[in-house]
Amino acid sequence: MALSSPGTGPETGATGTGTTGPAAPTGAIDASAPGPITPTGTTDRRAPGPAVPGSPTAPRPTRGLLTLLFAGNTAMYALYIGVPGMLLALQVEAVDPADKVANFGLVSGVSAIFATVFNPVAGALSDRSGRRNPWILAGGLLALPVMLLLGSVHTILLVTIAWCLGQAVMNVYQAALTSVVPDRVPPAARGKASAAVGLGLPVGSTIGALLGAAFSEHYRTGYLVFGAIVAATAVLFTVCAREERMPPRAAMPVKEQIAAFGGALRDHDFRWAFIGRALLVLGYFAVAGFQLYVLKDHTDLPAGLSAEEAVAILMPVNSVAMVVSTVLGGWLSDRLDRRKLFVGASAALAALALLVPAFSTSWTAMLAFSVVNGLGFGCYMAVDTALVTMVLPRAEDAARDMGVLNVANAGPQIVAPFVASLIVSLSGGYTALFLVAAVLSVLGALAVRPIRSVR
C-alpha cells in the first residue's frame, strides 16, 4: 500500500525521480548535510542544507512531471487494488471454493514476502546505478507478461508462484518511483508534494475496483488490462520525464549490503516512523485484503446487489473521501508545519472507522466505514509520507531507505492474511477481525509520539 525544485511553470519539478511543487530558489535539499542544532541537542532535519548547483542534488526542471508522477502512482495502485482485491480473490475461489479464505491468505502472505525482499533490493540497485527511469521501465514492461502468466494458471501453487513474480516486478517499479520525494522535494513542501503523488492511491483504487468488477467474469482478460496499463504508463513516464544521471555508487560486499539495509532502523526517528507505518498497515490490510469475502459472508447486502457490484460502489466512495483528506491533510500539515498531529489523528480516525462494521453488518455500516476509513487513511498516507522523508538518515541512500520503509508496507501484508484467516476461522466471523485491526491502528497512532526531529 507509497510522495521542489525551481520550475518554469505551475507544473514543473525535478528531473528523474523528482516531483513537483512550489519553486525553491536554490534547488533541491541535500538532506545529508546536517541542519542546525535544536535546543534539545538533536539535529533539526526539517532545516534545509545547502544545494550545490550542477550536483546530483541540484535538479533541472521538467515540465509536467507532477502529472507523470500522478499517472505512475495511479497505474500502480490500480493493479495493487484490482488484482488482489478482486481478480485474484475470484481466481482463488474458483480453484477451491471451500478453502478460499485459507488459500487466499496463503497466496497473499507468501507473495508479500517477495514484495518485502524486492523493494529494498531494487531501491539499493537504483541508488547504485544512479538511475531511476530504467528500473521504472523494466518493472512496468515486465508487468504485462507476468499478468498474462497469472491469468493462465489453474492451481493454488501456480497462482502463488505467478503472483510472487507479479509482486517482484511491481516492487522494482515501485522502488524507483517512490524515491521521488526524498530525492527532490524540500521539507517545507513535502506535505503538498506527497498529497499530489498520494492522489494516485484513491484514483488508482477506484480504477482498479471498477475494472476488477467489470472483468469479474473474465479475470484472465482483466489481468492483461492491468498489466497493459502499468506497462504503458512506465513507457510514458520514462519517455517524458528527463533524468539527470547521478554518479554510480561503488559496489559493496554482500555482508555490508545486508547490514546497510538494517542500518536505517538504528536511527531513532526513522525506527519509530517504521513501527507506526507497520502497525497501521497491518490493521488496514487485515481487513482490506478480505473485502470481497467480507461483503459475501459478513454484510447484509440489499436484494439484487452482488458482492462484486458492492466493491465497485464502495471503492469510489472511499476514494472521494481519500482525495479530500489527502489534499487537505497535506496542505494543512505544510501550513501548520505539523506532521505528527495529522499522522496520529488520521490513524485514530481509521481505528474509529473499523468499529462501525464490527458492530453492524448492514450495508449502510459498510458505506459509513468506506467514508470514514477513506478520510483517515488518505490523510495518513499523505502526511506520513512527508514525515518519513524528513527522518531519512542519509540523502544518498534515499531509495534504499525508502525501500527499507516499504518493508513496513509489505511486511505486515505477509502477516495480515495469515492473522486475518486465523482470526476469522477461530471466531467464526469478521467482527473480531475488525476489532483487532482497530487496536492496531490506535497503536500506530501512538507510535509517532516518540519522534523528535519533526513536529
Side-chain angles (χ1 to χ4, degrees), residues 261-318:
F261 283 129
L265 295 177
R266 290 194 291 268
D267 182 90
H268 175 274
D269 286 356
F270 185 84
R271 181 171 63 252
W272 279 107
F274 181 96
I275 292 171
R277 175 73 68 90
L279 288 169
L280 187 107
V281 170
L282 177 58
Y284 180 83
F285 278 98
V287 172
F290 286 81
Q291 178 176 244
L292 182 63
Y293 297 162
V294 167
L295 291 168
K296 285 188 173 186
D297 304 329
H298 175 78
T299 307
D300 298 323
L301 296 176
L305 181 67
S306 69
E308 292 82 0
E309 292 169 338
V311 171
I313 293 173
L314 290 177
M315 194 58 71
V317 169
N318 178 268

Side-chain angles (χ1 to χ4, degrees), residues 5 137 158 270 322:
S5 61
L137 182 62
L158 293 179
F270 185 84
M322 198 176 292

Side-chain angles (χ1 to χ4, degrees), residues 32-307:
S32 63
I37 302 300
T38 65
T40 60
T42 60
T43 300
D44 185 358
R45 282 180 264 199
R46 294 173 295 149
V52 181
S55 74
T57 59
R60 298 172 184 172
T62 298
R63 185 179 295 274
L65 187 58
L66 176 63
T67 303
L68 293 171
L69 289 169
F70 168 73
N73 281 273
T74 297
M76 179 180 71
Y77 285 117
L79 188 147
Y80 278 158
I81 297 299
V83 169
M86 180 69 74
L87 302 184
L88 191 65
L90 291 171
Q91 186 176 12
V92 169
E93 185 178 25
V95 172
D96 186 359
D99 295 320
K100 64 181 182 181
V101 172
N103 287 334
F104 187 66
L106 177 66
V107 173
S108 301
V110 172
S111 61
I113 295 174
F114 278 74
T116 303
V117 171
F118 271 83
N119 196 280
V121 169
L125 290 173
S126 69
D127 282 340
R128 180 181 166 186
S129 68
R131 300 291 300 277
R132 311 298 187 194
N133 282 5
W135 300 94
I136 294 173
L137 182 62
L141 291 178
L142 286 172
L144 185 57
V146 170
M147 289 298 105
L148 174 63
L149 173 64
L150 181 58
S152 66
V153 296
H154 304 284
T155 69
I156 295 300
L157 175 61
L158 293 179
V159 168
T160 303
I161 293 172
W163 183 227
C164 283
L165 293 175
Q167 288 279 26
V169 300
M170 284 306 298
N171 276 274
V172 169
Y173 173 92
Q174 182 182 8
L177 196 63
T178 54
S179 65
V180 296
V181 173
D183 274 358
R184 302 298 184 184
V185 181
R190 286 181 183 174
K192 289 187 287 289
S194 296
V197 175
L199 288 175
L201 175 58
V203 176
S205 297
T206 299
I207 294 173
L210 293 176
L211 287 177
F215 290 100
S216 61
E217 300 294 329
H218 307 280
Y219 58 78
R220 293 176 180 82
T221 304
Y223 282 132
L224 287 177
V225 170
F226 283 116
I229 290 173
V230 173
T233 305
V235 171
L236 177 67
F237 185 94
T238 53
V239 167
C240 297
R242 296 196 307 269
E243 181 176 31
E244 179 180 347
R245 181 165 186 163
M246 298 177 290
R249 302 278 298 279
M252 290 181 8
V254 175
K255 184 177 180 179
E256 291 184 22
Q257 292 183 41
I258 295 173
F261 283 129
L265 295 177
R266 290 194 291 268
D267 182 90
H268 175 274
D269 286 356
F270 185 84
R271 181 171 63 252
W272 279 107
F274 181 96
I275 292 171
R277 175 73 68 90
L279 288 169
L280 187 107
V281 170
L282 177 58
Y284 180 83
F285 278 98
V287 172
F290 286 81
Q291 178 176 244
L292 182 63
Y293 297 162
V294 167
L295 291 168
K296 285 188 173 186
D297 304 329
H298 175 78
T299 307
D300 298 323
L301 296 176
L305 181 67
S306 69

Side-chain angles (χ1 to χ4, degrees), residues 318 321 346 349-350 352-354 356 367-377:
N318 178 268
S346 57
L349 186 61
L352 180 64
L354 288 160
V356 178
L367 288 170
F369 164 72
S370 293
V371 172
V372 180
N373 183 61
L375 292 173
F377 195 70

Side-chain angles (χ1 to χ4, degrees), residues 388-442:
V388 167
T389 63
M390 295 178 179
V391 298
L392 291 177
R394 291 164 56 87
E396 59 267 33
D397 294 324
R400 186 200 70 195
D401 291 343
M402 289 298 283
V404 173
L405 176 74
N406 193 61
V407 174
N409 293 327
Q413 294 180 57
I414 298 173
V415 180
F418 298 119
V419 171
S421 60
L422 180 63
I423 292 172
V424 172
S425 298
L426 293 178
S427 66
Y430 292 88
T431 298
L433 179 61
F434 286 116
L435 294 176
V436 171
V439 171
L440 291 170
S441 296
V442 170

